[in-house]
Amino acid sequence: MKIILEGCDGTGKTTLAKILADKYKLDICHCTQDDPGDYEFYRQTLRKENVIWDRHTLGELIYPKVFGRKQKIGTEDARLLMHYAKENGVKVLVLTNGIESIYNRIDERGNEDFRVHDNLAYIDGRFRFYANEFKIPIIDTSKMTLQEIFNLIEEKETA
């Protein structure tokens, strides 16, 4: 089993990753700005088995603008990676939540970079945009039950 959880900070990715990792006996991987983050890096990581990624490809299309750094992949790279992921049985999901709830979660943490905090609506909006662009299911963590998420994870892809 392979799962990618994408989404804005504060949407519940890490919490859900831990729950899914425990339920399905998966390793958790987290891609960060410190990784090479180029096309080949992301493609190679998709070869792993029994893993859940707490963020993967889509963040590299969004966070460089927030942090004022150069993107390591472009939109077409991400499109190809998402296609490759789907072909290789990776379940990709974008998490969201109400923006007020996202701000509350981030404020509770108290350690978020101000650039992320000040751009949460933009970041969440871009993740939703790319989910629609790449036909990735969006999970609103304030509305779906864990059982509904498990059902979605276990659902077989149809051709």
Side-chain angles (χ1 to χ4, degrees):
M1 181 175 279
K2 303 176 189 184
I3 304 166
I4 294 175
L5 300 179
E6 295 277 13
C8 180
D9 301 69
T11 57
K13 290 181 310 301
T14 302
T15 301
L16 183 57
K18 289 175 185 175
I19 291 167
L20 295 174
D22 184 54
K23 179 173 176 60
Y24 298 110
K25 309 295 183 241
L26 305 172
D27 293 326
I28 298 175
C29 290
H30 186 86
C31 295
T32 70
Q33 67 179 7
D34 297 328
D35 291 319
D38 59 11
Y39 176 84
E40 199 53 39
F41 166 79
Y42 287 118
R43 192 167 190 278
Q44 288 301 317
T45 63
L46 293 172
R47 295 175 63 204
K48 293 182 180 191
E49 295 291 336
N50 299 315
V51 66
I52 184 164
W53 288 272
D54 177 353
R55 190 166 285 141
H56 197 265
T57 309
L58 299 183
E60 187 56 32
L61 298 177
I62 299 164
Y63 286 96
K65 292 178 179 97
V66 172
F67 289 112
R69 67 172 174 81
K70 187 178 183 317
Q71 273 184 244
K72 299 173 186 174
I73 62 168
T75 304
E76 195 53 34
D77 292 329
R79 184 183 315 282
L80 291 170
L81 287 162
M82 291 298 97
H83 179 74
Y84 180 80
K86 187 174 183 180
E87 279 188 336
N88 286 277
V90 181
K91 185 70 77 165
V92 183
L93 305 168
V94 169
L95 275 57
T96 191
N97 200 313
I99 196 67
E100 202 170 296
S101 179
I102 292 171
Y103 274 108
N104 288 338
R105 288 178 179 181
I106 294 299
D107 290 342
E108 285 174 16
R109 288 185 197 167
N111 65 346
E112 201 66 51
D113 187 296
F114 75 92
R115 294 169 291 186
V116 170
H117 186 277
D118 293 350
N119 289 286
L120 287 171
Y122 165 79
I123 295 166
D124 185 59
R126 294 310 292 169
F127 274 109
R128 289 173 188 247
F129 170 81
Y130 287 118
N132 288 323
E133 183 79 8
F134 301 145
K135 296 178 179 35
I136 300 169
I138 298 173
I139 292 178
D140 185 329
T141 55
S142 70
K143 295 180 180 168
M144 283 186 88
T145 66
L146 278 176
Q147 188 57 56
E148 289 171 325
I149 294 170
F150 298 154
N151 293 346
L152 185 61
I153 296 291
E154 295 168 11
E155 188 176 275
K156 299 291 182 219
E157 293 293 326
T158 54

